[in-house]
Amino acid sequence: MSDTPFLLPDVGEGLTEAEIVSWRVAPGDSIAINQVIVEIETAKSLVELPSPFAGTVGELLVKEGDTVAVGAPIIMVSGAASDEPAADTDVAEAVQDAAATITDEAAVGTVLVGYGTSGHAKSRRRRGGESPLVPVRPSSVPAASASPVVAKPPIRKLAKDLDVDLAEVQGTGLAGEITRDDVIRHASQASLFRNIQTPEESDEREERIPVKGVRKTIAKAMVDSAFTAPHVSLFVDVDATRTMEFVKRLKASPDFAGVKVSPLLIIAKAIIWAVRRNPTVNSEWTDEEIIVRHFVNLGVAAATPRGLIVPNVKEAQSLSLLALAQSLEQLTLTAREGRTSAAEMTGGTITITNIGVFGMDTGTPILNPGEVAIVALGTIKQKPWVVDGEVRSRYVTTVGASFDHRVVDGDVASRFVADVASVIEEPALLLD
């Protein structure tokens, strides 16, 4: 029987290439339909590719670390003639499902802390039944039977990048799972023994990082945005004391037990409220027309080990405060694990960037391509503030925002920022 090539599929993200992160099979291995054979990194996410047919691995045509064009052969499979290969659209659908699902949760047989049952993405179904390419893993299988090391693919990649042997790392997660902190801690400890450099090592005074994947995509998007949309930025200092008090009450509420609550939640609600009063900031410029959206897909800029990404919460305007808190937490956790799906990265209408977590007071954020407004939340800290003619200690922050001046005029931009600030000063306005 002849060898059959498996071509790198179009994963439905509008991308043209992907990097081979790690092979899960070797020449001579027998593989089954739906078995994960390789992990790839696109410009947006880490994705496990399932095999569309069964057979024996003949040859790995590309090496780990290689960047491959969509449609190029990456592996040869022998004995696959009797199994009809799945259509390209089915492969893409399976890949998207794999990217949107935290597959290791199923392998461990438990739900990771902070994700909750709502964190499991639902796989799409084909007409007439389930997609034949979505791997099904029984939750009763213990973690140890799958692998002696329990770690998600992004954690394995981090360990590889830091030259850490996962077999030597003590996992502190559920079921002994190795976390990102475990790997970084182990790498830091190991570095203590490498401080005495040899003459050859001390000559390495610079590092060269290939521009590819997320970093390449970020660079292009930022350049396109900065030199296409005429940016205008506004800033205002805000008394956030009542927001901090509100956050404290929410944390103590039984309804929010187990849910991460931070000022970002209130700012997100403030943006949604202000968008309703100033809909132009929730638009898109197309040269031929301005498209004003009457829904909010709220993007949240997330700094991850793979670079800056901006996933978004779909239909955020229809979510309760609790549902929005859960969505923001899930979005953040998924981004940090490198499991953000293509769907979560597209369709955003307005973005918030929380630079306050880095101790910054304000900044001039660049617009996310396709949007006309972005809000920057600065750090919240106690400062002297005049209240009713008296100087008092209050929690103060700075709200900054950038706009596409082709769409948003100065008066609209000013009203929008003022509305966001008013909710931060008095969260009770959200009851309107």
Side-chain angles (χ1 to χ4, degrees):
M1 286 176 281
S2 61
D3 289 347
T4 301
F6 175 42
L7 310 182
L8 182 67
D10 179 356
V11 296
E13 297 179 338
L15 303 174
T16 59
E17 62 184 19
E19 178 185 346
I20 304 298
V21 175
S22 62
W23 284 105
R24 303 296 180 81
V25 295
D29 289 352
S30 296
I31 56 174
I33 294 176
N34 298 337
Q35 179 180 339
V36 174
I37 58 175
V38 66
E39 181 185 36
I40 65 172
E41 180 180 21
T42 71
K44 297 181 179 179
S45 60
L46 287 168
V47 179
E48 293 179 334
L49 289 184
S51 173
F53 36 67
T56 301
V57 177
E59 181 183 1
L60 305 182
L61 302 178
V62 291
K63 302 187 298 295
E64 293 181 355
D66 285 353
T67 298
V68 185
V70 169
I74 60 175
I75 185 175
M76 299 297 293
V77 180
S78 301
S82 60
D83 294 275
E84 182 181 357
D88 287 345
T89 54
D90 290 341
V91 175
E93 180 175 328
V95 170
Q96 289 174 327
D97 285 336
T101 306
I102 303 174
T103 55
D104 286 80
E105 288 183 10
V108 173
T110 186
V111 178
L112 300 181
V113 174
Y115 282 84
T117 55
S118 64
H120 293 280
K122 295 181 180 179
S123 296
R124 292 183 297 280
R125 296 290 185 263
R126 300 177 64 206
R127 295 178 182 176
E130 296 185 351
S131 167
L133 289 177
V134 179
V136 178
R137 304 179 183 176
S139 60
S140 60
V141 177
S145 66
S147 172
V149 173
V150 182
K152 289 185 173 67
I155 305 303
R156 295 179 181 274
K157 184 177 186 300
L158 175 64
K160 180 180 178 181
D161 293 341
L162 296 179
D163 196 24
V164 170
D165 184 355
L166 288 177
E168 299 177 356
V169 180
Q170 180 64 44
T172 60
L174 292 180
E177 182 194 17
I178 296 175
T179 67
R180 185 174 302 279
D181 288 342
D182 295 334
V183 173
I184 294 175
R185 187 183 307 110
H186 185 89
S188 299
Q189 293 172 347
S191 67
L192 295 177
F193 299 96
R194 295 196 291 263
N195 283 339
I196 302 177
Q197 297 180 326
T198 65
E200 292 77 14
E201 290 174 331
S202 63
D203 288 338
E204 297 178 3
R205 300 177 58 187
E206 62 182 26
E207 179 183 6
R208 297 177 183 266
I209 302 174
V211 178
K212 58 184 179 180
V214 171
R215 178 54 54 192
K216 185 175 183 179
T217 301
I218 293 171
K220 184 179 186 304
M222 293 299 96
V223 170
D224 290 346
S225 176
F227 292 98
T228 299
H231 285 56
V232 60
S233 299
L234 300 174
F235 313 94
V236 63
D237 292 333
V238 187
D239 181 354
T241 303
R242 290 186 177 177
T243 282
M244 298 301 287
E245 293 170 348
F246 187 32
V247 168
K248 184 177 180 180
R249 290 197 298 272
L250 289 178
K251 288 181 177 180
S253 170
D255 292 338
F256 285 79
V259 179
K260 182 178 180 180
V261 179
S262 73
L264 179 65
L265 171 63
I266 311 306
I267 308 305
K269 266 294 187 181
I271 291 174
I272 296 169
W273 185 81
V275 163
R276 189 173 71 245
R277 294 162 58 90
N278 308 275
T280 308
V281 303
N282 198 47
S283 302
E284 178 183 3
W285 172 275
T286 69
D287 284 333
E288 290 80 21
E289 59 186 356
I290 297 173
I291 304 172
V292 181
R293 291 107 157 203
H294 297 294
F295 61 93
V296 178
N297 289 347
L298 182 62
V300 180
T304 75
R306 299 174 58 243
L308 179 70
I309 63 174
V310 189
N312 61 81
V313 177
K314 298 293 191 288
E315 301 291 340
Q317 83 287 347
S318 65
L319 299 180
S320 66
L321 197 61
L322 175 58
L324 182 59
Q326 293 169 330
S327 296
L328 289 172
E329 181 179 21
Q330 179 61 44
L331 177 150
T332 302
L333 288 172
T334 304
R336 287 175 180 170
E337 295 297 334
R339 288 295 173 187
T340 302
S341 68
E344 292 171 317
M345 295 280 288
T346 57
T349 64
I350 190 169
T351 293
I352 180 172
T353 176
N354 186 11
I355 59 176
V357 297
F358 306 111
M360 298 295 102
D361 292 325
T362 189
T364 54
I366 295 178
L367 294 166
N368 197 30
E371 302 173 15
V372 301
I374 181 172
V375 177
L377 173 64
T379 185
I380 301 177
K381 54 189 175 184
Q382 288 184 304
K383 291 182 178 181
W385 192 263
V386 178
V387 181
D388 297 329
E390 298 181 359
V391 178
R392 302 179 186 177
S393 176
R394 306 288 284 182
Y395 284 99
V396 178
T397 188
T398 300
V399 174
S402 294
F403 303 91
D404 185 338
H405 219 338
R406 295 173 301 181
V407 179
V408 184
D409 296 331
D411 60 333
V412 176
S414 299
R415 287 198 301 269
F416 172 76
V417 173
D419 283 342
V420 172
S422 64
V423 172
I424 298 174
E425 290 179 343
E426 182 48 83
L429 288 174
L430 294 174
L431 299 177
D432 288 354

